[in-house]
Amino acid sequence: MELRVEDLRKSYGGTAVLQGVSFTAGIGLTRVTGSSGIGKTTLARTLCGLMKPLGGKICWHGRPANEKQRLHNSFLVMQDVNYQLFSDSVREEILLGAALRVWNFAFVPLWGISQGFQPAAGTNYGAKDYDRVKKLTKVFIIAATLLSLVFYIPVELFPEKILSMFLTTPGIAASGATNFRIMFSTYILQGSFLIAVTLFQSLGKANKATWLVLFRQIILFIPLCVILPMIGGMGIRGVWLAIALTDAILVVITISMMLYEFGKMPATSSVKR
């Protein structure tokens, strides 16, 4: 079984994207690499029958295959936007992808603590026991911070070893150790952020929680990913720093919002009186 491509051509608005592309691929893994905008996605979509080429031939099992036939026999899996990367080399993409897997793995127990906090905070807030809400928030923030140390300390002390556990490509973990340590430097603040966001949900202020999440994932993070690499020649290191800086800024904003909400709560004794 083989896929054979001969003189494949495709253009957009008069600009050639694929020009004279020819190759043969058999059973197994075939990798197509190149810089952003070179035409990798266009090639994949054309091979799968999602786009019609301007010229050339695509053969499957030695026979020409039209768009309908290729569409019927092909699958195109787009990359997860959570792992949408901003690097300019395959090595850096692999390193950043592995680092994000470590981050997501370490995020799970903190999320579990926040889920335990939500009903406790909501119940006491509904009962107008505001002092207990404040006390529970403090206890859960401390607990989440202590739990985060289980991941934070090993990553900061042994970044290369931790990173290599999530890599299938040998020998590249060392080159990403420093950037990984930078990215993970504010992980210890994640417990405070999650508990505060969960508190807003428990108080019936979901709009505030939603805006905080949007700031972390889009409004603040994406501009930083674009701007920081252009400052002082940081390049790809700016992307790693953007992750840490986003969390640091948001924790300050979130804690300030949480303290403001606490300030509006009357003392429990005065309410019950």
Side-chain angles (χ1 to χ4, degrees):
M1 296 196 299
E2 73 171 15
L3 170 69
R4 189 173 76 254
V5 177
E6 299 177 359
D7 193 29
L8 192 64
R9 300 186 302 280
K10 177 67 180 176
S11 64
Y12 295 107
T15 302
V17 179
L18 303 177
Q19 194 168 18
V21 176
S22 300
F23 66 90
T24 300
I27 298 176
L29 177 66
T30 300
R31 291 185 294 180
V32 180
T33 62
S35 59
S36 178
I38 203 171
K40 301 184 296 296
T41 302
T42 299
L43 174 61
R45 290 175 62 84
T46 303
L47 293 178
C48 291
L50 295 172
M51 302 180 73
K52 186 176 181 178
L54 294 180
K57 184 186 295 184
I58 301 175
C59 299
W60 181 241
H61 300 313
R63 297 180 180 180
N66 58 33
E67 285 78 19
K68 185 176 180 180
Q69 291 170 326
R70 298 199 305 276
L71 188 60
H72 179 73
N73 293 288
S74 304
F75 297 91
L76 180 63
V77 181
M78 300 302 294
Q79 67 189 60
D80 188 339
V81 295
N82 290 319
Y83 296 93
Q84 176 67 52
L85 307 176
F86 300 84
S87 55
D88 55 2
S89 71
V90 174
R91 176 185 291 269
E92 290 296 338
E93 288 191 359
I94 292 173
L95 288 169
L96 189 51
L100 289 172
R101 286 195 292 272
V102 177
W103 182 277
N104 289 336
F105 179 76
F107 181 84
V108 172
L110 298 182
W111 180 83
I113 283 186
S114 71
Q115 295 307 294
F117 169 70
Q118 185 169 8
T123 300
N124 284 279
Y125 183 75
K128 301 185 184 302
D129 194 343
Y130 302 126
D131 291 343
R132 190 166 179 81
V133 171
K134 297 174 185 178
K135 183 177 181 180
L136 281 170
T137 303
K138 181 179 179 180
V139 169
F140 272 85
I141 285 178
I142 293 173
T145 302
L146 291 176
L147 179 60
S148 69
L149 292 174
V150 175
F151 298 93
Y152 179 77
I153 293 176
V155 168
E156 293 300 315
L157 293 180
F158 314 106
E160 182 180 347
K161 291 184 178 180
I162 300 298
L163 199 57
S164 63
M165 294 171 59
F166 291 79
L167 286 168
T168 56
T169 305
I172 69 170
S175 62
T178 300
N179 286 339
F180 183 37
R181 186 182 279 123
I182 291 172
M183 185 199 84
F184 217 80
S185 61
T186 54
Y187 167 78
I188 196 171
L189 304 175
Q190 280 298 298
S192 302
F193 173 76
L194 274 176
I195 296 301
V197 170
T198 306
L199 174 67
F200 292 133
Q201 295 174 339
S202 303
L203 303 184
K205 302 179 185 295
N207 58 329
K208 291 187 177 182
T210 300
W211 276 108
L212 286 171
V213 173
L214 286 175
F215 262 94
R216 185 177 186 273
Q217 297 183 349
I218 300 175
I219 300 173
L220 187 59
F221 174 62
I222 292 180
L224 285 175
C225 280
V226 174
I227 295 171
L228 289 179
M230 297 186 293
I231 298 176
M234 281 194 290
I236 186 61
R237 178 159 293 180
V239 177
W240 297 79
L241 179 60
I243 298 172
L245 191 57
T246 296
D247 288 330
I249 294 172
L250 268 180
V251 165
V252 174
I253 294 173
T254 305
I255 295 298
S256 299
M257 292 172 60
M258 183 181 69
L259 293 176
Y260 175 74
E261 288 295 330
F262 284 165
K264 294 194 301 181
M265 294 180 186
T268 300
S269 56
S270 63
V271 173
K272 290 184 176 181
R273 212 178 279 164

